[in-house]
Protein backbone atom coordinates (compact mmCIF):
# COMPACT_ATOMS: atom_id res chain seq x y z
CA UNK A 1 0.00 0.00 0.00
CA UNK A 2 1.55 3.37 -0.99
CA UNK A 3 2.25 5.92 1.69
CA UNK A 4 -0.05 8.49 0.12
CA UNK A 5 -3.10 8.38 -2.11
CA UNK A 6 -4.33 11.20 -4.30
CA UNK A 7 -7.36 12.98 -2.85
CA UNK A 8 -9.95 15.19 -4.57
CA UNK A 9 -12.91 17.20 -3.30
CA UNK A 10 -15.43 14.38 -3.40
CA UNK A 11 -19.18 14.87 -3.05
CA UNK A 12 -21.54 15.62 -0.13
CA UNK A 13 -23.65 12.52 -0.77
CA UNK A 14 -24.14 9.77 0.04
CA UNK A 15 -22.81 9.76 3.62
CA UNK A 16 -20.37 7.12 4.85
CA UNK A 17 -17.51 5.55 2.88
CA UNK A 18 -18.69 4.63 -0.61
CA UNK A 19 -16.19 2.43 -2.42
CA UNK A 20 -15.42 1.94 -6.09
CA UNK A 21 -12.19 0.62 -7.66
CA UNK A 22 -11.40 4.10 -8.98
CA UNK A 23 -12.12 6.12 -5.85
CA UNK A 24 -13.79 5.98 -2.46
CA UNK A 25 -15.94 8.93 -1.41
CA UNK A 26 -15.98 9.74 2.30
CA UNK A 27 -18.69 11.98 3.74
CA UNK A 28 -19.73 12.84 7.29
CA UNK A 29 -22.15 15.41 8.70
CA UNK A 30 -21.18 17.88 11.40
CA UNK A 31 -22.65 21.33 11.87
CA UNK A 32 -20.37 22.00 14.86
CA UNK A 33 -17.01 21.12 13.30
CA UNK A 34 -14.55 23.88 12.47
CA UNK A 35 -12.12 21.42 10.91
CA UNK A 36 -11.97 17.79 9.77
CA UNK A 37 -9.23 15.28 8.95
CA UNK A 38 -9.61 11.84 7.39
CA UNK A 39 -7.33 9.27 9.03
CA UNK A 40 -6.40 6.19 6.95
CA UNK A 41 -5.03 2.96 8.44
CA UNK A 42 -3.76 -0.07 6.57
CA UNK A 43 -5.20 -2.47 9.16
CA UNK A 44 -5.70 -2.92 12.89
CA UNK A 45 -2.01 -3.71 13.17
CA UNK A 46 -1.27 0.00 12.66
CA UNK A 47 -1.37 2.17 15.77
CA UNK A 48 -1.00 5.34 13.67
CA UNK A 49 -2.60 6.36 10.38
CA UNK A 50 -0.43 5.95 7.29
CA UNK A 51 -2.05 9.05 5.76
CA UNK A 52 -3.90 12.05 7.17
CA UNK A 53 -5.96 14.10 4.72
CA UNK A 54 -6.89 17.55 5.98
CA UNK A 55 -10.14 18.90 4.58
CA UNK A 56 -10.29 22.58 3.69
CA UNK A 57 -13.06 25.15 3.32
CA UNK A 58 -14.97 25.64 1.12
CA UNK A 59 -13.67 22.81 -1.10
CA UNK A 60 -14.51 19.94 1.25
CA UNK A 61 -17.72 21.12 2.91
CA UNK A 62 -21.22 21.63 1.58
CA UNK A 63 -24.24 22.29 3.82
CA UNK A 64 -22.29 20.93 6.82
CA UNK A 65 -21.40 17.71 4.97
CA UNK A 66 -17.62 17.24 5.02
CA UNK A 67 -16.39 15.16 2.09
CA UNK A 68 -13.30 13.94 0.26
CA UNK A 69 -12.59 11.30 -2.39
CA UNK A 70 -9.49 9.09 -2.29
CA UNK A 71 -8.31 7.53 -5.55
CA UNK A 72 -7.70 3.76 -5.88
CA UNK A 73 -7.98 3.07 -2.16
CA UNK A 74 -8.18 -0.69 -1.51
CA UNK A 75 -11.28 -2.20 0.03
CA UNK A 76 -10.57 -3.19 3.62
CA UNK A 77 -8.69 0.03 4.42
CA UNK A 78 -9.59 1.25 7.89
CA UNK A 79 -10.44 4.87 8.62
CA UNK A 80 -11.68 7.39 11.16
CA UNK A 81 -12.41 11.09 11.24
CA UNK A 82 -10.62 13.63 13.43
CA UNK A 83 -13.03 16.44 14.18
CA UNK A 84 -12.05 19.89 15.46
CA UNK A 85 -14.69 21.73 17.48
CA UNK A 86 -14.87 24.77 19.70
CA UNK A 87 -16.64 24.07 22.98
CA UNK A 88 -16.81 25.62 26.44
CA UNK A 89 -13.26 24.43 27.13
CA UNK A 90 -11.88 25.88 23.92
CA UNK A 91 -10.55 24.12 20.81
CA UNK A 92 -10.89 20.35 20.98
CA UNK A 93 -9.85 17.58 18.61
CA UNK A 94 -11.35 14.09 18.81
CA UNK A 95 -10.84 10.98 16.72
CA UNK A 96 -14.30 9.61 15.98
CA UNK A 97 -15.89 6.67 14.23
CA UNK A 98 -18.04 7.28 11.14
CA UNK A 99 -21.64 6.86 12.40
CA UNK A 100 -22.55 5.36 9.01
CA UNK A 101 -19.56 3.06 8.56
CA UNK A 102 -20.65 -0.07 6.63
CA UNK A 103 -18.29 -2.25 8.66
CA UNK A 104 -16.14 -1.59 11.72
CA UNK A 105 -13.17 -3.03 13.58
CA UNK A 106 -13.08 -3.26 17.38
CA UNK A 107 -9.68 -4.97 17.59
CA UNK A 108 -7.85 -2.02 19.19
CA UNK A 109 -10.79 -0.73 21.24
CA UNK A 110 -10.44 -0.38 25.03
CA UNK A 111 -13.27 1.48 26.70
CA UNK A 112 -11.38 1.66 30.00
CA UNK A 113 -8.40 3.36 28.30
CA UNK A 114 -10.32 5.90 26.23
CA UNK A 115 -9.25 9.51 26.81
CA UNK A 116 -10.44 12.74 25.08
CA UNK A 117 -8.09 13.53 22.21
CA UNK A 118 -6.45 10.10 22.31
CA UNK A 119 -6.62 7.29 19.74
CA UNK A 120 -10.06 5.74 19.43
CA UNK A 121 -9.46 2.06 18.68
CA UNK A 122 -12.84 1.66 16.98
CA UNK A 123 -12.43 2.13 13.23
CA UNK A 124 -14.53 2.08 10.10
CA UNK A 125 -13.66 -0.34 7.30
CA UNK A 126 -14.05 0.54 3.62
CA UNK A 127 -16.41 -2.11 2.24
CA UNK A 128 -17.46 -2.78 -1.38
CA UNK A 129 -21.15 -2.50 -2.25
CA UNK A 130 -23.30 -5.60 -2.58
CA UNK A 131 -22.74 -7.54 -5.80
CA UNK A 132 -26.19 -9.16 -5.71
CA UNK A 133 -29.67 -7.59 -5.61
CA UNK A 134 -31.38 -7.22 -2.25
CA UNK A 135 -33.91 -10.01 -1.56
CA UNK A 136 -37.55 -8.95 -1.80
CA UNK A 137 -39.29 -8.49 1.57
CA UNK A 138 -41.47 -11.32 2.88
CA UNK A 139 -44.83 -10.01 4.08
CA UNK A 140 -46.15 -10.36 7.63
CA UNK A 141 -49.58 -11.78 6.82
CA UNK A 142 -50.13 -14.86 9.04
CA UNK A 143 -46.55 -14.48 10.30
CA UNK A 144 -45.09 -16.89 12.84
CA UNK A 145 -42.08 -15.07 14.29
CA UNK A 146 -39.16 -16.69 16.12
CA UNK A 147 -37.00 -14.23 18.09
CA UNK A 148 -33.38 -15.20 18.63
CA UNK A 149 -29.96 -13.87 19.63
CA UNK A 150 -27.27 -14.44 16.98
CA UNK A 151 -24.46 -14.79 19.51
CA UNK A 152 -26.37 -17.13 21.82
CA UNK A 153 -28.57 -19.25 19.59
CA UNK A 154 -25.77 -21.52 18.38
CA UNK A 155 -23.28 -21.04 21.22
CA UNK A 156 -23.90 -24.33 23.04
CA UNK A 157 -22.17 -27.41 21.55
CA UNK A 158 -25.56 -29.06 21.23
CA UNK A 159 -26.31 -26.67 18.36
CA UNK A 160 -23.92 -28.74 16.26
CA UNK A 161 -22.65 -25.91 14.06
CA UNK A 162 -19.12 -25.23 12.84
CA UNK A 163 -19.15 -21.47 13.46
CA UNK A 164 -20.95 -21.01 16.77
CA UNK A 165 -22.30 -17.57 17.62
CA UNK A 166 -21.97 -16.14 14.12
CA UNK A 167 -24.07 -15.20 11.11
CA UNK A 168 -22.62 -18.25 9.32
CA UNK A 169 -23.56 -20.47 12.23
CA UNK A 170 -27.14 -19.27 11.97
CA UNK A 171 -27.27 -20.36 8.31
CA UNK A 172 -26.54 -23.91 9.47
CA UNK A 173 -29.67 -23.86 11.66
CA UNK A 174 -32.08 -22.87 8.89
CA UNK A 175 -33.34 -26.47 8.35
CA UNK A 176 -34.16 -26.67 12.07
CA UNK A 177 -36.06 -23.38 11.93
CA UNK A 178 -37.93 -24.53 8.82
CA UNK A 179 -39.02 -27.68 10.67
CA UNK A 180 -40.57 -25.47 13.35
CA UNK A 181 -42.87 -23.97 10.73
CA UNK A 182 -41.91 -20.35 11.33
CA UNK A 183 -42.21 -17.66 8.66
CA UNK A 184 -39.78 -15.06 10.08
CA UNK A 185 -36.84 -14.74 12.43
CA UNK A 186 -36.53 -11.60 14.53
CA UNK A 187 -32.89 -10.97 15.40
CA UNK A 188 -31.99 -9.20 18.60
CA UNK A 189 -29.59 -6.29 17.90
CA UNK A 190 -27.09 -7.16 15.17
CA UNK A 191 -25.76 -3.65 14.52
CA UNK A 192 -22.24 -3.04 15.81
CA UNK A 193 -22.30 -2.50 19.57
CA UNK A 194 -19.78 -2.04 22.40
CA UNK A 195 -19.31 -5.34 24.24
CA UNK A 196 -17.29 -3.42 26.85
CA UNK A 197 -20.17 -1.13 27.80
CA UNK A 198 -21.01 -2.67 31.19
CA UNK A 199 -20.84 -1.46 34.81
CA UNK A 200 -17.38 -1.71 36.41
CA UNK A 201 -18.59 -4.45 38.76
CA UNK A 202 -19.68 -6.53 35.76
CA UNK A 203 -16.41 -5.95 33.90
CA UNK A 204 -14.50 -7.03 37.04
CA UNK A 205 -16.17 -10.44 36.71
CA UNK A 206 -14.88 -10.77 33.15
CA UNK A 207 -18.36 -10.36 31.69
CA UNK A 208 -19.41 -8.24 28.72
CA UNK A 209 -22.44 -6.68 27.12
CA UNK A 210 -24.31 -9.67 25.70
CA UNK A 211 -27.63 -8.33 24.44
CA UNK A 212 -26.34 -5.60 22.10
CA UNK A 213 -28.39 -2.65 23.33
CA UNK A 214 -25.34 -0.38 23.20
CA UNK A 215 -24.88 0.54 19.51
CA UNK A 216 -21.88 2.33 18.05
CA UNK A 217 -22.58 2.05 14.29
CA UNK A 218 -26.12 1.29 13.14
CA UNK A 219 -25.15 0.68 9.49
CA UNK A 220 -22.52 -1.96 10.34
CA UNK A 221 -23.05 -5.58 11.37
CA UNK A 222 -21.66 -6.46 14.78
CA UNK A 223 -18.11 -7.72 14.09
CA UNK A 224 -18.33 -10.14 17.02
CA UNK A 225 -20.96 -12.11 15.09
CA UNK A 226 -18.71 -12.56 12.06
CA UNK A 227 -16.16 -15.26 11.32
CA UNK A 228 -13.98 -12.43 9.94
CA UNK A 229 -14.47 -9.64 12.49
CA UNK A 230 -11.57 -7.45 11.34
CA UNK A 231 -12.42 -7.57 7.64
CA UNK A 232 -14.78 -5.87 5.21
CA UNK A 233 -16.04 -9.38 4.44
CA UNK A 234 -18.08 -9.34 7.65
CA UNK A 235 -20.80 -7.45 5.77
CA UNK A 236 -20.83 -10.12 3.03
CA UNK A 237 -21.35 -12.75 5.72
CA UNK A 238 -24.38 -10.85 7.00
CA UNK A 239 -25.75 -10.48 3.46
CA UNK A 240 -25.26 -14.21 2.83
CA UNK A 241 -27.21 -15.03 6.00
CA UNK A 242 -30.15 -12.84 4.94
CA UNK A 243 -30.09 -14.33 1.43
CA UNK A 244 -30.04 -17.86 2.83
CA UNK A 245 -33.07 -17.16 5.02
CA UNK A 246 -34.99 -15.69 2.09
CA UNK A 247 -34.05 -18.63 -0.13
CA UNK A 248 -35.61 -20.86 2.54
CA UNK A 249 -38.77 -18.75 2.56
CA UNK A 250 -38.02 -17.15 5.93
CA UNK A 251 -38.17 -13.37 6.40
CA UNK A 252 -35.68 -11.47 8.57
CA UNK A 253 -36.76 -8.78 11.07
CA UNK A 254 -34.26 -6.66 13.00
CA UNK A 255 -34.40 -5.21 16.51
CA UNK A 256 -32.85 -1.76 16.00
CA UNK A 257 -31.79 0.39 18.98
CA UNK A 258 -32.43 4.08 18.31
CA UNK A 259 -33.02 5.68 21.72
CA UNK A 260 -29.52 5.40 23.23
CA UNK A 261 -25.92 4.57 22.26
CA UNK A 262 -22.68 3.27 23.75
CA UNK A 263 -21.59 6.85 24.41
CA UNK A 264 -23.83 6.81 27.50
CA UNK A 265 -24.34 9.89 29.64
CA UNK A 266 -22.11 12.85 30.34
CA UNK A 267 -19.31 10.64 31.64
CA UNK A 268 -19.30 8.25 28.68
CA UNK A 269 -16.72 8.25 25.88
CA UNK A 270 -17.06 10.34 22.71
CA UNK A 271 -17.16 7.69 19.99
CA UNK A 272 -18.91 9.48 17.13
CA UNK A 273 -22.10 11.49 17.79
CA UNK A 274 -20.67 13.31 20.82
CA UNK A 275 -17.61 14.34 18.86
CA UNK A 276 -19.46 15.42 15.74
CA UNK A 277 -22.33 17.41 17.28
CA UNK A 278 -23.80 16.22 20.57
CA UNK A 279 -26.50 18.88 20.81
CA UNK A 280 -28.13 17.71 17.59
CA UNK A 281 -27.87 13.96 18.05
CA UNK A 282 -28.90 13.83 21.72
CA UNK A 283 -31.71 15.17 23.89
CA UNK A 284 -30.18 16.71 27.00
CA UNK A 285 -31.59 17.25 30.47
CA UNK A 286 -30.09 20.59 31.45
CA UNK A 287 -26.35 20.09 31.11
CA UNK A 288 -26.50 16.31 31.41
CA UNK A 289 -26.64 13.84 28.54
CA UNK A 290 -29.33 11.23 28.73
Amino acid sequence: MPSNYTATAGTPAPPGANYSPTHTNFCVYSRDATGMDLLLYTSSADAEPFQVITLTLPLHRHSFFWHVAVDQLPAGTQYNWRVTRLDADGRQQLEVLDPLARAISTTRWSRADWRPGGPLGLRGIVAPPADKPRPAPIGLDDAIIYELHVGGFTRHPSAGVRQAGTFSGLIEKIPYLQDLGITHVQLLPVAAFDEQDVPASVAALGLHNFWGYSPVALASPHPGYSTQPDSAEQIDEFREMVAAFHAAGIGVLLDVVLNHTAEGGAGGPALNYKGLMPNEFYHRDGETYR
Side-chain angles (χ1 to χ4, degrees), residues 139-246:
L140 290 170
D141 292 345
D142 301 317
I144 303 172
I145 301 171
Y146 190 107
E147 185 178 43
L148 62 85
H149 184 282
V150 174
F153 187 67
T154 61
R155 186 169 66 171
H156 194 273
S158 64
V161 302
R162 294 184 299 275
Q163 304 287 350
T166 67
F167 300 123
S168 294
L170 205 54
I171 294 174
E172 298 182 60
K173 299 301 291 186
I174 288 178
Y176 166 76
L177 293 167
Q178 284 180 302
D179 288 343
L180 295 179
I182 67 165
T183 63
H184 296 72
V185 290
Q186 178 170 323
L187 307 182
L188 273 71
V190 294
F193 65 91
D194 184 8
E195 295 185 359
Q196 300 174 34
D197 185 11
V198 293
S201 58
V202 175
L205 297 174
L207 301 176
H208 63 272
N209 188 309
F210 178 75
W211 295 107
Y213 291 91
S214 187
V216 295
L218 292 171
S220 167
H222 181 56
Y225 295 159
S226 173
T227 59
Q228 302 181 75
D230 204 40
S231 165
E233 294 181 11
Q234 61 183 262
I235 194 169
D236 291 326
E237 186 175 347
F238 177 81
R239 290 169 177 150
E240 290 167 4
M241 177 200 68
V242 174
F245 272 118
H246 278 253

Side-chain angles (χ1 to χ4, degrees), residues 50-209:
F50 70 83
Q51 184 173 354
V52 177
I53 301 174
T54 298
L55 279 60
T56 59
L57 297 174
L59 181 65
H60 293 108
R61 191 182 73 177
H62 182 268
S63 298
F64 304 113
F65 285 93
W66 298 77
H67 49 83
V68 63
V70 183
D71 294 341
Q72 298 182 319
L73 191 70
T77 301
Q78 297 187 6
Y79 73 99
N80 274 338
W81 293 100
R82 184 166 60 207
V83 57
T84 302
R85 290 174 44 234
L86 295 176
D87 58 18
D89 298 321
R91 185 173 180 269
Q92 184 182 51
Q93 285 191 317
L94 292 170
E95 181 177 349
V96 298
L97 178 71
D98 181 356
L100 292 178
R102 276 37 168 198
I104 76 164
S105 168
T106 61
T107 299
R108 301 186 72 91
W109 171 236
S110 172
R111 190 178 182 93
D113 294 333
W114 180 86
R115 299 292 182 272
L120 180 60
L122 298 171
R123 294 176 186 168
I125 303 176
V126 175
D131 58 1
K132 297 178 181 178
R134 180 180 300 179
I138 296 177
L140 290 170
D141 292 345
D142 301 317
I144 303 172
I145 301 171
Y146 190 107
E147 185 178 43
L148 62 85
H149 184 282
V150 174
F153 187 67
T154 61
R155 186 169 66 171
H156 194 273
S158 64
V161 302
R162 294 184 299 275
Q163 304 287 350
T166 67
F167 300 123
S168 294
L170 205 54
I171 294 174
E172 298 182 60
K173 299 301 291 186
I174 288 178
Y176 166 76
L177 293 167
Q178 284 180 302
D179 288 343
L180 295 179
I182 67 165
T183 63
H184 296 72
V185 290
Q186 178 170 323
L187 307 182
L188 273 71
V190 294
F193 65 91
D194 184 8
E195 295 185 359
Q196 300 174 34
D197 185 11
V198 293
S201 58
V202 175
L205 297 174
L207 301 176
H208 63 272
N209 188 309

